[in-house]
Amino acid sequence: EVKLLESGGGLVQPGGSMRLSCAASGFTFTDFYMNWIRQPAGKAPEWLGFIRNKANGYTTEYNPSVKGRFTISRDNTQNMLYLQMNTLRAEDTATYYCARGSGAYYWGQGVMVTVSS
Amino acid sequence: DIQMTQSPSFLSASVGDRVTINCKASQNINKYLNWYQQKLGEAPKRLIYNTNSLQTGIPSRFSGSGSGTDYTLTISSLQPEDVATYFCQQYNSWPWTFGGGTKLELK
């Protein structure tokens, strides 16, 4: 069974940093693209970026809205996906999801990030 | 970025009704379109990919159509469990973008 479990969310001050983690299980992690998608409360999701699979060299793509502030990485030995978020702003407040595959069929349950003083 | 505009934003319908949700892209997306269903407190769930391919396990009352810039999600006979917010999402051009959502409730 495919499982994705996000962690690391919470309250952070504007300008601060936070790292989210996503623990993956139930599939061969290195075979899949992995994504981060966020959703502010009551609004549409926003695709933040993705990291490609082994066959495609684990390269990354970022939404211009977060490029330069957010970094996606993966630890293929631990089946973990990460999102490092720097210089956080109030508008980064959202539920953050990891999702598997280029088509994002499987999603985690999400983790909330609140940026506020 | 490609803008995705959904209509209506809110829809009230009765059990058994045929429901149609529209999604318009700001440019041709070559049928690279997904539809998601999101129930309260849950992650979005993909219903349809490539405009009209039904995800495994999704009831056949859901269907998708369209081409170019105009796409449609149809529920042929609304059921109580279909109460949710529906999003379209394009993957023709990075960054992938979502429509603003259609909230569907029972009348």
Side-chain angles (χ1 to χ4, degrees):
Chain A
E1 180 190 4
V2 173
K3 289 186 179 179
L4 300 169
L5 184 63
E6 302 93 340
S7 61
L11 176 65
V12 61
Q13 291 192 336
S17 297
M18 178 175 280
R19 189 177 84 155
L20 304 182
S21 302
C22 171
S25 61
F27 61 98
T28 302
F29 187 62
T30 53
D31 283 351
F32 289 89
Y33 286 40
M34 295 297 297
N35 307 274
W36 285 102
I37 299 164
R38 71 181 176 186
Q39 187 175 27
K43 296 188 177 181
E46 178 184 26
W47 210 297
L48 301 178
F50 59 87
I51 185 165
R52 294 179 174 88
N53 58 5
K54 181 178 181 180
N56 289 282
Y58 302 128
T59 53
T60 53
E61 299 291 342
Y62 296 96
N63 192 315
S65 65
V66 300
K67 192 171 184 178
R69 294 194 302 126
F70 289 12
T71 302
I72 298 172
S73 61
R74 59 194 297 166
D75 180 342
N76 297 305
T77 64
Q78 299 290 323
N79 289 356
M80 294 292 293
L81 176 72
Y82 300 104
L83 179 67
Q84 176 67 42
M85 304 184 290
N86 298 329
T87 320
L88 284 161
R89 308 165 180 163
E91 54 264 37
D92 295 318
T93 295
T95 297
Y96 286 71
Y97 297 97
C98 63
R100 189 195 84 166
S102 56
Y105 176 56
Y106 288 101
W107 294 49
Q109 88 290 344
V111 63
M112 288 191 63
V113 172
T114 302
V115 184
S116 176
S117 54
Chain B
D1 298 5
I2 294 178
Q3 307 304 313
M4 305 297 291
T5 303
Q6 280 184 242
S7 61
S9 300
F10 182 81
L11 183 55
S12 182
S14 301
V15 173
D17 282 354
R18 182 181 183 87
V19 170
T20 299
I21 297 170
N22 300 300
C23 181
K24 187 173 184 68
S26 59
Q27 64 190 70
N28 181 6
I29 58 170
N30 298 299
K31 295 191 172 185
Y32 293 116
L33 185 94
N34 292 330
W35 286 98
Y36 290 86
Q37 176 194 65
Q38 186 175 30
K39 296 184 178 180
L40 199 62
E42 297 182 4
K45 175 182 179 181
R46 195 173 73 181
L47 302 176
I48 288 172
Y49 60 99
N50 289 352
T51 292
N52 56 16
S53 297
L54 197 64
Q55 202 67 51
T56 302
I58 301 302
S60 59
R61 64 180 179 273
F62 290 92
S63 64
S65 63
S67 63
T69 60
D70 295 297
Y71 298 84
T72 300
L73 173 69
T74 300
I75 308 173
S76 60
S77 178
L78 186 67
Q79 299 302 303
E81 60 267 31
D82 300 335
V83 169
T85 299
Y86 293 83
F87 295 98
C88 59
Q89 176 249 320
Q90 67 82 22
Y91 53 103
N92 179 75
S93 177
W94 178 252
W96 315 147
T97 48
F98 290 84
T102 296
K103 187 173 183 180
L104 175 60
E105 74 161 27
L106 285 180
K107 193 179 291 183

